[in-house]
Amino acid sequence: MVSEKKILHFELLGAFSCEGIALKAGRKVLAFLQYLIVHHERNISVGELIEEFWPEHSDAPANALRRILFRARALLKEVYPEEEDILLTLPGCYAWNQDICLELDTKQFETAFLEAGKKKGEEQLKALLFAVSLYRGDFLQANDSGWAIGLRQYYRTLYLDACKVLLPLLEKKEQWIEILDICEQARRIDFALEDFVIYQMQALIALGQPDQALEKYELFRNRLFEEFQTEPSKHVEQVCMLARGLQKREMVVSDIFGLLKEEDPEEKAFFCTFEMFRSIVALERRHLSRSNGTSTLVVVRLGQGAVPATDGRRLEHILLEGLRAGDPVARLEAGSYIFMLSDTDVEKAQLVTSRLDRNFYKTYRHSKANITYHIAKIPFKE
């Protein structure tokens, strides 16, 4: 009678553990054991281990290898005291005992995701939920070895792909709480992927929480610009506008007029998204076609020598404080802005840009930014 193989279960996604028990040892010992676990399906040569863990070729790498192997075996013995010869020493290499089967959560996660792709409807939804539940955190999150970092990115990508497939299925079933949970974890891995902030905001709107949706939008927008000097896409802005609209529902007429009254208007230019800026310019063009007046657009760029994040914030401050109250300003990209001067011809616009230029270099004397201004008259007709 053939005896069944002993199964050893290791968790590599999130905190490293064995049978749910956290293994405690020095970083190098843990990294060594993790390397053996990840490559458990083959014999691992002495040379490979020395090259990986002692690349500087210390005086006695073979002795160091034997010591670290002893500690790794001692760790396994703590969890499996009844098991003998879990790790075998073979001529020129090390291997796991063939009578023992290693079960890894990474393999379960990968298999579950791939199997989910073969299913449809409710079965696919259940399979994806199971796959996502297996991802309890980044692969060997405390291991900063090169081989671990590469695999970490692979499993992150796999997880994010699973979430992208899962979210539309949850949306169809209006499972908003589940969507929020998934988006929260996915955004901790990669906050810049807009799919997750869009689904997160839509779920909050569906739950009757447009205020919280707008909070998520503001956090996302600020961090996106801080790290990449870019603005959210049109799709994100559309969800934001929906949330703002829902904030104002169920109001009586006096409430609506009260909002439009704006009791304490800010004494500075009006900073807005580019989509909103386009709408303002379109309205201005209609006004000009009736009044035969003149307005101008000005594009401002930092140019060479600028530190995009630092000088971008400085330029934004000068524009908001130096333009007239209500003049619309929008960010185009890092270090690039556009604003509109109503009832202002090109000559007067040049005076405005000269004043802004003086204010910038007077306030920020050490800046090396080479600011340029491009002025264009708004056409009355197509």
Side-chain angles (χ1 to χ4, degrees):
M1 180 178 178
V2 180
S3 60
E4 293 185 1
K5 286 188 176 183
K6 175 69 177 181
I7 297 177
L8 311 186
H9 184 79
F10 291 96
E11 294 85 23
L12 309 182
L13 295 173
F16 175 53
S17 62
C18 179
E19 306 294 344
I21 302 171
L23 298 176
K24 297 180 180 180
R27 292 175 66 88
K28 195 160 190 175
V29 175
L30 288 177
F32 180 82
L33 179 57
Q34 290 161 358
Y35 189 87
L36 295 177
I37 290 169
V38 170
H39 300 93
H40 70 278
E41 294 179 339
R42 63 181 177 85
N43 295 350
I44 305 173
S45 71
V46 170
E48 177 182 340
L49 292 169
I50 290 175
E51 185 65 30
E52 180 63 41
F53 292 94
W54 296 276
E56 301 84 5
H57 300 293
S58 61
D59 294 336
N63 290 335
L65 174 57
R66 283 192 289 271
R67 286 194 297 271
I68 205 170
L69 181 66
F70 175 82
R71 292 171 187 162
R73 282 172 169 157
L75 271 179
L76 293 172
K77 195 68 174 176
E78 290 177 13
V79 184
Y80 302 103
E82 73 285 357
E83 294 297 325
E84 299 291 339
D85 299 325
I86 296 178
L87 280 172
L88 302 177
T89 301
L90 303 177
C93 65
Y94 299 97
W96 292 84
N97 191 325
Q98 293 299 305
D99 293 330
I100 293 174
C101 177
L102 269 63
E103 187 176 75
L104 311 184
D105 60 348
T106 49
K107 185 65 176 178
Q108 291 176 317
F109 167 64
E110 185 178 35
T111 301
F113 174 58
L114 295 176
E115 287 298 316
K118 303 174 185 178
K119 303 179 186 296
K120 298 292 183 183
E122 191 70 25
E123 290 301 314
Q124 185 182 38
L125 175 61
K126 290 179 180 178
L128 285 169
L129 284 171
F130 173 67
V132 167
S133 71
L134 293 171
Y135 195 94
R136 289 176 287 273
D138 280 340
F139 173 80
L140 296 178
Q141 53 195 16
N143 189 329
D144 57 2
S145 304
W147 65 270
I149 292 171
L151 285 171
R152 185 174 304 139
Q153 189 56 47
Y154 168 73
Y155 289 114
R156 277 181 175 179
T157 302
L158 214 59
Y159 173 75
L160 294 175
D161 287 346
C163 291
K164 289 176 184 178
V165 179
L166 175 59
L167 287 170
L169 302 178
L170 291 172
E171 184 182 39
K172 286 182 181 179
K173 298 180 72 65
E174 300 184 0
Q175 294 181 229
W176 310 118
I177 301 299
E178 289 82 356
I179 287 176
L180 290 177
D181 290 341
I182 289 169
C183 289
E184 195 63 35
Q185 180 163 335
R187 292 192 63 206
R188 282 197 290 269
I189 296 172
D190 190 343
F191 87 93
L193 288 176
E194 293 190 337
D195 303 58
F196 302 117
V197 73
I198 288 171
Y199 275 103
Q200 193 174 45
M201 291 170 65
Q202 288 174 336
L204 288 168
I205 290 170
L207 291 169
Q209 300 172 21
D211 291 346
Q212 292 190 31
L214 290 173
E215 287 179 12
K216 296 294 183 184
Y217 165 79
E218 290 297 337
L219 289 171
F220 173 73
R221 182 173 180 268
N222 291 338
R223 188 175 174 190
L224 194 67
F225 184 73
E226 180 181 337
E227 297 198 19
F228 302 109
Q229 287 77 55
T230 59
E231 292 286 344
S233 70
K234 184 177 181 179
H235 193 176
V236 177
E237 296 291 352
Q238 288 172 339
V239 181
C240 173
M241 291 175 67
L242 174 61
R244 292 191 193 282
L246 289 171
Q247 272 188 319
K248 301 172 177 59
R249 284 190 177 180
E250 306 299 330
M251 293 187 297
V252 297
V253 173
S254 60
D255 292 329
I256 297 171
F257 287 144
L259 284 171
L260 297 174
K261 184 179 178 182
E262 192 178 10
E263 295 179 0
D264 298 308
E266 289 189 272
E267 294 298 323
K268 60 174 64 176
F270 174 60
F271 190 81
C272 59
T273 65
F274 184 70
E275 288 301 316
M276 187 178 293
F277 185 87
R278 289 181 63 186
S279 299
I280 293 171
V281 172
L283 289 173
E284 183 70 6
R285 291 179 65 184
R286 294 184 184 184
H287 167 71
L288 294 174
S289 66
R290 297 192 300 269
S291 66
N292 291 325
T294 302
S295 295
T296 50
L297 292 174
V298 182
V299 173
V300 190
R301 299 185 188 279
L302 283 172
Q304 294 181 348
V307 179
T310 302
D311 285 320
R313 288 193 294 270
R314 292 169 173 175
L315 178 58
E316 187 173 311
H317 173 76
I318 293 296
L319 293 176
L320 293 179
E321 297 294 335
L323 294 171
R324 296 171 298 186
D327 282 344
V329 182
R331 187 187 294 120
L332 296 173
E333 57 188 2
S336 178
Y337 295 82
I338 186 170
F339 61 86
M340 184 180 77
L341 298 172
S342 300
D343 300 319
T344 304
D345 59 22
V346 172
E347 185 177 351
K348 290 180 180 177
Q350 289 173 338
L351 295 175
V352 172
T353 58
S354 296
R355 176 168 50 81
L356 292 171
D357 206 52
R358 288 195 302 273
N359 289 347
F360 183 91
Y361 291 111
K362 181 179 178 181
T363 307
Y364 307 108
R365 295 179 181 178
H366 300 294
S367 174
K368 297 181 180 179
N370 180 26
I371 302 175
T372 58
Y373 302 87
H374 302 274
I375 303 170
K377 190 168 91 170
I378 297 179
F380 300 161
K381 298 179 182 179
E382 293 289 349

